Amino acid sequence: MEADFVIVGAGSAGCAVAYRLAEAGESVLVIEHGGTDAGPFIQMPAALSYPMNMKQYDWGYTSEPEPHLGNRRLACPRGKVIGGSSSINGMVYVRGHAMDFDHWAEAGADGWSYADVLPYYKRMESWDDGGHGGDPAWRGTNGPLHVTRGPRDNPLFSAFVEAGRQAGYEVTDDYNGQKQEGFGPFEQTVHKGVRWSAANAYLKPALKRENCGLIRGLVERVIIKEGRAVGVALAGGKTVRARREVILAASSINSPKILMLSGIGPADHLAQHGIDVVADRPGVGANLQDHLEMYIQMASKQPITLYKHWNLLSKAVIGAQWLFTGKGLGASNQFESCGFIRSQAGVPYPDIQYHFLPIAVRYDGKASAEGHGFQAHTGPMRSPSRGSVTLRSGDPKDDPLIRFNYMSTEQDWEDFRRCIRLTREIFAQEAFEPFVKHEIQPGAAAQSDAELDDVIREHAESAYHPCGTCRMGRADDPQAVVDPQGRVIGVDALRVVDSSVFPRITNGNLNAPSIMMGEKMSDHILGRDPLARSNDQPWIHPDWETAQR
């Protein structure tokens, strides 16, 4: 078993790299621990709460007890299936804000400013706005990844956008175009009613080529000889040889774990677990970031929410309609309106995101006891808190220790309280008057800072956007793990290409930037000149220094 390039992990970035390398005629072998994505639980968009809660498709990670959240252990699902987390996620498509990537470049990720990455977003997309407006000049139309918008038939979707406008915020036709800030239609990775995961978009087309193969296996470590990666060792004693490079695309949880098991990481930590040090990189496993969010839930005066379908018969009807026609409620993730706002004057670009959903429900699929309701998921986008991924032991079968260290600064609490109060103000607008009955969560009784803090401590959940644990930076940066071309500093022929290399978390959901990472890194791997930089200028609120909206 050998190939020129061995890719560890068939997730969002790994599938994109496999596709581009195979397209270029290179010999590629992808190793994935999980199995097939066949079946309606993954492929039907509205069934999204199922695969995320199924051991068959999820690594099932949880954090260590979080000291600032009442020592709760929070779920950290990661896809264990072809397509990785793009096969179990909410299918929400957010590129991130232009200034996120400019920050990456300023932080030492040379060549990753917005002008550098926008051409790759265009290359990867097949965008269809469904005739709902948008920014065609900023979007791609010939890429492997289909991006669409839901029908927004439920009146609550337009009420949410109108309430944002009434509260004094911007409206945007395309938050993935020139203007992220504001309220408008949400986008999803769905094509013809099917979840358009990285497996469907990239891996399956790549596997049709003779030069690309897929094998199942658990990678225990990278085999390094005389400072060079020459292959990987799998559980069960098998090895796979890489003639040119090993590419880790195993997620922000598993990529640092594999590096450390291979002798690349903080020397003291490796020594504690009896691992010989190949490269002392203290940044491996550090810099862990995530988005923390809460559902602000309202009971509905009118029986127009998705709650009327929250029964076995209705779910069966929706499933059958989707199975036979690819249409109906089953063909959307139901996240069809959104918002991106700034929390206060002096913040140059949005730092709060809204996912609006026309039902009051949790990610584990449990509906609110109140019956008909709706909710906005919200939380701060750029928390200053940082956590870590470390080894539990030297045994590759043991889960790593995941410590997010959520809410560890005073700024986290101030930002989160502001999110809740701004959200209540939106639900109090005239557009929601026909629909809002009363507040379910946090509940109208929670008003003071201390009361809101208690609610956050008890109810905040991960938005499942871990990243940053193999940070990209300049080769002379002691905390950087990879250089701006994804090459592991101190080891030859080894790269990391996934969300773990993000210097800082981007604004919104991470699937789009993870796939873009694979697209752009594949050009670096192939030794090609990057795509020409873009001259497009993003919209920034003209009064951002003095006004919150």
Side-chain angles (χ1 to χ4, degrees), residues 28-29 40 63 66 69 82 91 95 126 141 145 151 157 218 231 250 279 344 355 365 377-378 402 450 457 508 529:
V28 180
L29 202 50
S63 75
E66 285 291 332
L69 293 176
I82 62 164
M91 289 154 283
R95 286 172 165 181
S126 267
T141 52
L145 188 75
F157 288 123
L218 176 66
Q344 54 190 330
H355 299 67
H377 300 205
T378 188
I402 304 167
R457 212 172 277 114
D529 289 334

Side-chain angles (χ1 to χ4, degrees), residues 176-195:
N176 281 316
Q178 183 174 24
K179 179 181 179 181
Q180 188 194 62
E181 186 167 334
F183 286 73
F186 229 165
E187 298 194 333
Q188 48 187 273
T189 48
V190 172
H191 181 47
K192 295 181 177 172
V194 173
R195 174 193 288 273

Side-chain angles (χ1 to χ4, degrees), residues 8 53 78 108 133 148 190 230 263 332-333 357 367 391 453:
V8 179
N53 293 293
R78 293 291 85 196
T148 53
V190 172
V230 295
S332 169
N333 61 2
L357 195 58
L391 295 177
D453 289 352

Side-chain angles (χ1 to χ4, degrees), residues 243-256:
R243 291 187 290 262
R244 285 176 61 188
E245 284 191 21
V246 173
I247 298 159
L248 285 185
S251 83
S252 55
I253 307 300
N254 285 324
S255 288

Side-chain angles (χ1 to χ4, degrees), residues 261-317:
L261 288 170
S262 310
I264 302 159
D268 294 351
H269 180 60
L270 301 184
Q272 283 168 11
H273 294 293
I275 297 167
D276 292 338
V277 179
V278 173
D280 179 11
R281 300 306 305 174
V284 174
N287 193 46
L288 175 63
Q289 297 161 64
D290 189 18
H291 289 139
L292 200 63
E293 66 176 16
M294 250 186 72
Y295 318 144
I296 310 301
Q297 297 179 323
M298 300 288 163
S300 177
K301 285 179 187 170
Q302 299 187 38
I304 56 170
T305 75
L306 294 176
Y307 183 74
K308 63 183 173 216
H309 301 296
W310 221 250
N311 58 76
L312 281 176
L313 179 63
S314 212
K315 286 181 181 178
V317 171

Side-chain angles (χ1 to χ4, degrees), residues 143-200:
L145 188 75
H146 286 275
V147 179
T148 53
R149 297 179 174 190
R152 302 175 83 208
D153 292 335
N154 193 306
L156 290 164
F157 288 123
S158 49
F160 186 68
V161 176
E162 178 57 17
R165 191 191 66 75
Q166 288 172 352
Y169 295 104
E170 297 289 322
V171 171
T172 178
D173 269 348
D174 189 353
Y175 64 87
N176 281 316
Q178 183 174 24
K179 179 181 179 181
Q180 188 194 62
E181 186 167 334
F183 286 73
F186 229 165
E187 298 194 333
Q188 48 187 273
T189 48
V190 172
H191 181 47
K192 295 181 177 172
V194 173
R195 174 193 288 273
W196 208 244
S197 65
N200 284 335

